[in-house]
Amino acid sequence: PIIDRHRRDGRRLVQILREVQDQTGWLSPEVLSWIADAIAWPRARVESTAGFYSFFHTRPLGQYRILWSDNITDRMLGSQDLMQAMCRKLWLEPGRVSEDGLVSVEATSCTGLCDQGPAILVNYRAMPGITLERVDKIVHLVRNRVPLAEWPAEWFRIEDNIRRKDILLDHGLVPGEALSAALARGPETMLTEVRRANLRGRGGAGFGTALKWEACRQAEGSQRYLVCNADEGEPGTFKDRVLLNSYADLVFEGMTIAGHAIGATEGLLYLRGEYRYLLDDLAATLERRRREGLLGRNILGTPFNFDIEIHLGAGAYVCGEESALIESLEGKPGKPRIRPPFPVVRGYREQPTAVNNVETLASTCLIAARGGDWFAAIGTAKSAGSKLLSVSGDVEQPGIYEYPFGVTVAQVLADSGARNPQAVQISGAAGTCLADDEFERRIAFEDLPTAGSFMVFDRGRDMFEVARNFVHFFAHESCGFCTPCRVGTALNRRLMDKIAAGQGSPYDINEMFKLHRLMQGTSHCGLGNSATTALFDTLTKFKPAFERRLQSLDYEPGFDLDLALSQARQMTGRDDPGAHLSQEDKT
Ligand code: SF4
C-alpha cells in the first residue's frame, strides 16, 4: 500500500523509504530490493539514496533510538555529560545498539531546539529541556519497554518562546485575507508589488524575490513549481519551526500567493526530518484550508488551482541548498547540482521551480495585504521589512525576536538579557563570529546578512571549543561530492582534535588557514565555501583560545609515538605509567 499510495513513482523514494522504515524498523537488503523492483529503479540507485540520509538505516536499529542534539548551545547546557550518563545507565557505548537490540544512543546535528535545550529525539519525536532527573526516568521507561505513546505527553511539549513581535508575528491578518488581495491584484501586479517591496530572501543570501519569481514565470516549461524550503538545518536556527508551528496559515497562504504569481499549480513544502512532529498539524491545516476554499480547485471562486504537498527530509543539512533539496524531492541523494541551469529555469522534474524560504513566503502575505510601498518603508534602504532572529546561548531569555532590519547586535543582546557576552555567532556555523568591538554592527543585508541564527557566548566560554563544534558539524554534513570540501572538512576536524588533545603546533594553525583559502575558492556549493568561515573568524579574533592549547609555540612535533600507542593500550587494557612513553623517551 505504501508504494501504491506513492503511485510507484521513484521520485518519491525518500518518502517511500521513510514510510517503509517506519513499518519494518530498518531498511534491510531484501526491503531495498523489493522497493527497487516496485518502482522499477536499479537497486544501486535505491541503495545510494538510502545510504545518503542519516535518518535512514541499512542496519538493524534498537526499539528506542535516542539522538542527542549536538549543537554548541546544547553542549553549553550540559548535553555531553547527560548523554554519557544515559549511556552509562543503559550500559551502552554511544553510537552502538544494545546487545538485546533494545536501544541506541548517539549524537546528531542541531535539532532546532536551541532555545530549550539540551534536546533529544526519541524515535524522531523531539523532547526539549533534558535534565539528569529526566535521563533517569527515560532509562527506566526504556528498560521496562514502555511504548513511546505512553510516555508523559508534557515531555514532548515544544514552546514557541516568542519574545518580540513586529510586523510579521503581529500581522493581524485572517486566513484568506492576503490571498484574496493577491488574487484581486492578478499575477503581474502582485509581482510589481513584491518588486516595490524590495523583498529579499530570508534564507541568508538575500536574492530578490521578485527577480526569482519573474525568471520562473518567464522560463519555458509545461508546468511550474513553487517549493517552500523548510529544511532549517543551520545550527542555532529555529524561527521556521515557530512559523510552521503557530503561523502555518501565513506560510501556506504565502506559498499560494507565490504559486499564483509564477503560474504554478503545485507547491511542495520540504520539511526537515527533525521537525517531523509538526507534520500532523501541518497536514490538518492544509486540509482545513482546502475545505475553506483556500487551496485546491477554483480557489476563492476564481479559476486559480493550486495545492500543496509536504515532503519530509531525512537528516541532511546540505538539502538546505536549493538544488540539493530538489534532488531530494526527486528521490535522489541530496547532492547540489551543477549550475546553471538554475532551478528557476530547470528545477523540480526539469521544470521551472521557485524555491523560497519559509519566512520569505510568510512575508509576501504582508505585501499582498498592505502593498509594496508599505513594506519597503520598514527596515533599511537595502533590507526592507523585518527579520526573525533565533536567539540562544548565554542569554536570560532565549527565543524568537522579530525586529525591523537595521537593529544592532547590541540591541538584541540587551533585549535578550545577554550575560557578559564575548562573542556572537551570526547565521549559524556557516556565518560570522563577532567579537565585542563589533556589537554595533547591524542585522541587514548591507552589513550582517543572516538566516536568523544568533548564538551568544559569554566570557567564560572557550571559543576554541565553539569552533571545534562547527568543524565537526561540517565534517559530518559534507555530502562528499567534491574533493576540497570532503577532504578539507575531514582534515580540519583532525587538526582541531589534535590541538584539543594537546598535540597541536603553529604548523596546524597555518594548515587551517591554508585550507580556508583553498576550500573557499574551489568547493562546489555554499556548504564547502562557508565551512571554514566561523573557524577563520574565531582563529583571527580569538587566537589566544587556540594558542594556549598548542604544545609549544616553537616545537612542531611530526609524530607522537605515545599517542599512536593509545589503541594498543586500549586493546591490552593497560593504562598504567609503565605503558606510556615519558616525554624524554619521546624526544
Ligand atoms: Fe558536497 Fe561539500 Fe562539495 Fe557542497 S561543497 S557539493 S556539500 S562536498
Side-chain angles (χ1 to χ4, degrees):
I2 292 173
I3 306 267
D4 287 337
R5 190 152 32 78
H6 289 289
R7 302 184 292 278
R8 297 184 174 259
D9 184 351
R11 283 172 294 202
R12 304 174 68 87
L13 181 58
V14 174
Q15 309 310 304
I16 292 171
L17 289 170
R18 173 177 60 82
E19 290 176 29
V20 170
Q21 181 176 271
D22 281 350
Q23 287 196 357
T24 58
W26 64 292
L27 299 167
S28 66
E30 297 74 32
V31 164
L32 292 180
S33 299
W34 171 75
I35 291 174
D37 285 347
I39 61 174
W41 269 25
R43 190 185 183 284
R45 273 184 81 182
V46 174
E47 203 166 357
S48 87
T49 297
F52 182 81
Y53 298 91
S54 64
F55 285 3
F56 291 149
H57 308 287
T58 49
R59 282 182 300 177
L61 276 182
Q63 185 184 333
Y64 299 91
R65 183 172 191 230
I66 300 175
L67 295 173
W68 284 82
S69 182
D70 196 27
N71 190 25
I72 184 66
T73 51
D74 293 290
R75 288 187 173 209
M76 284 155 60
L77 293 163
S79 64
Q80 283 182 302
D81 288 345
L82 290 166
M83 181 170 121
Q84 290 298 340
M86 178 178 273
C87 286
R88 269 196 313 276
K89 288 167 197 281
L90 289 166
W91 294 80
L92 196 61
E93 261 185 61
R96 295 265 173 90
V97 182
S98 60
E99 302 236 329
D100 58 0
L102 180 66
V103 58
S104 64
V105 178
E106 59 192 304
T108 189
S109 298
C110 178
T111 55
L113 291 161
C114 314
D115 54 332
Q116 45 206 299
I120 60 174
L121 301 176
V122 186
N123 295 357
Y124 306 107
R125 284 189 67 188
M127 191 188 292
I130 303 298
T131 59
L132 199 53
E133 190 190 350
R134 177 75 58 82
V135 166
D136 284 339
K137 290 179 178 167
I138 291 171
V139 168
H140 178 78
L141 292 173
V142 167
R143 282 222 182 99
N144 289 287
R145 299 174 188 256
V146 176
L148 205 55
E150 293 172 24
W151 291 24
E154 66 271 17
W155 289 4
F156 300 96
R157 191 176 308 127
I158 311 291
E159 303 294 339
D160 278 349
N161 289 331
I162 296 173
R163 311 290 187 185
R164 188 183 194 281
K165 294 183 178 183
D166 212 285
I167 52 168
L168 188 64
L169 298 182
D170 226 355
H171 58 82
L173 299 169
V174 296
E177 186 178 343
L179 179 57
S180 105
L183 295 184
R185 281 200 167 97
E188 295 292 351
T189 316
M190 188 61 212
L191 275 171
T192 306
E193 289 301 319
V194 174
R195 199 179 314 114
R196 289 168 81 104
N198 192 20
L199 178 65
R200 298 174 67 173
R202 269 41 178 168
F207 195 80
T209 305
L211 210 59
K212 186 181 272 192
W213 288 5
E214 275 164 351
C216 187
R217 184 175 172 77
Q218 284 161 13
E220 295 273 328
S222 56
Q223 167 70 287
R224 286 178 180 71
Y225 294 98
L226 184 280
V227 175
C228 175
N229 182 350
D231 192 46
E232 183 178 49
E234 197 59 62
T237 317
F238 45 88
K239 47 108 184 163
D240 292 347
R241 179 199 88 207
V242 172
L243 284 173
L244 292 164
N245 188 43
S246 298
Y247 294 81
D249 264 303
L250 208 63
V251 177
F252 290 142
E253 192 141 330
M255 288 179 72
T256 315
I257 290 168
H260 186 241
I262 65 170
T265 56
E266 281 184 49
L268 300 138
L269 182 120
Y270 189 97
L271 182 68
R272 75 181 297 218
E274 289 82 349
Y275 290 171
R276 185 175 177 160
Y277 52 90
L278 296 173
L279 196 58
D280 288 348
D281 284 351
L282 288 171
T285 305
L286 283 179
E287 209 37 65
R288 174 175 52 72
R289 289 184 69 84
R290 286 185 195 109
R291 284 198 304 275
E292 290 170 351
L294 302 172
L295 271 181
R297 298 196 66 76
N298 302 118
I299 291 175
L300 290 174
T302 68
F304 175 49
N305 304 325
F306 186 80
D307 213 333
I308 294 172
E309 193 181 337
I310 301 171
H311 280 241
L312 198 62
Y317 165 77
V318 69
C319 288
E321 198 277 343
E322 61 179 7
S323 68
L325 184 150
I326 290 170
E327 289 284 292
S328 181
L329 282 174
E330 293 181 352
K332 294 178 258 178
K335 295 187 179 174
R337 291 178 177 174
I338 292 168
R339 303 185 300 175
F342 291 95
V344 284
V345 175
R346 202 181 313 153
Y348 181 59
R349 300 186 177 219
E350 305 283 303
Q351 299 299 322
T353 304
V355 183
N356 289 117
N357 177 265
V358 174
E359 187 182 347
T360 313
L361 289 164
S363 298
T364 61
C365 294
L366 298 176
I367 298 165
R370 313 231 156 88
D373 290 339
W374 175 87
F375 191 86
I378 296 156
T380 69
K382 291 185 179 166
S383 310
S386 67
K387 186 77 198 81
L388 301 192
L389 298 175
S390 314
V391 180
S392 64
D394 293 315
V395 295
E396 297 293 341
Q397 293 199 302
I400 297 296
Y401 292 74
E402 184 189 7
Y403 293 96
F405 271 110
V407 65
T408 62
V409 170
Q411 183 66 55
V412 182
L413 290 170
D415 291 352
S416 56
R419 298 180 292 259
N420 207 9
Q422 69 163 326
V424 179
Q425 181 72 24
I426 303 278
S427 212
T432 311
C433 184
L434 302 180
D436 58 2
D437 58 349
E438 299 173 280
F439 289 170
E440 285 307 316
R441 291 183 63 182
R442 294 179 182 277
I443 302 293
F445 293 110
E446 52 267 55
D447 187 1
L448 289 170
T450 173
S453 172
F454 192 104
M455 292 184 275
V456 181
F457 305 102
D458 71 20
R459 290 186 191 283
R461 300 295 177 189
D462 182 350
M463 294 308 292
F464 172 84
E465 282 302 333
V466 173
R468 191 156 82 106
N469 179 266
F470 295 154
V471 164
H472 272 250
F473 169 78
F474 282 115
H476 181 255
E477 296 294 346
S478 168
C479 81
F481 173 76
C482 65
T483 309
C485 172
R486 183 183 65 246
V487 177
T489 52
L491 283 176
N492 266 335
R493 176 174 57 188
R494 194 188 297 171
L495 289 167
M496 288 294 276
D497 287 350
K498 184 181 168 201
I499 295 171
Q503 303 296 327
S505 71
Y507 175 84
D508 300 313
I509 303 278
N510 283 338
E511 281 300 289
M512 291 195 287
F513 275 117
K514 274 197 236 164
L515 281 170
H516 170 65
R517 284 191 293 274
L518 183 119
M519 288 170 66
Q520 275 208 318
T522 55
S523 295
H524 173 58
C525 83
L527 188 151
N529 281 312
S530 57
T532 53
T533 314
L535 175 62
F536 176 78
D537 277 354
T538 320
L539 265 170
T540 312
K541 297 171 188 174
F542 300 95
K543 208 168 181 187
F546 290 71
E547 285 177 341
R548 63 174 161 260
R549 290 175 179 266
L550 301 183
Q551 194 176 50
S552 157
L553 283 177
D554 29 63
Y555 169 60
E556 298 182 9
F559 180 71
D560 187 326
L561 187 54
D562 188 59
L563 186 71
L565 290 171
S566 61
Q567 207 175 358
R569 281 193 294 273
Q570 207 180 2
M571 284 164 68
T572 55
R574 279 193 63 185
D575 203 20
D576 56 280
H580 285 268
L581 291 170
S582 71
Q583 200 62 29
E584 272 173 25
D585 294 335
K586 280 199 281 183
T587 54

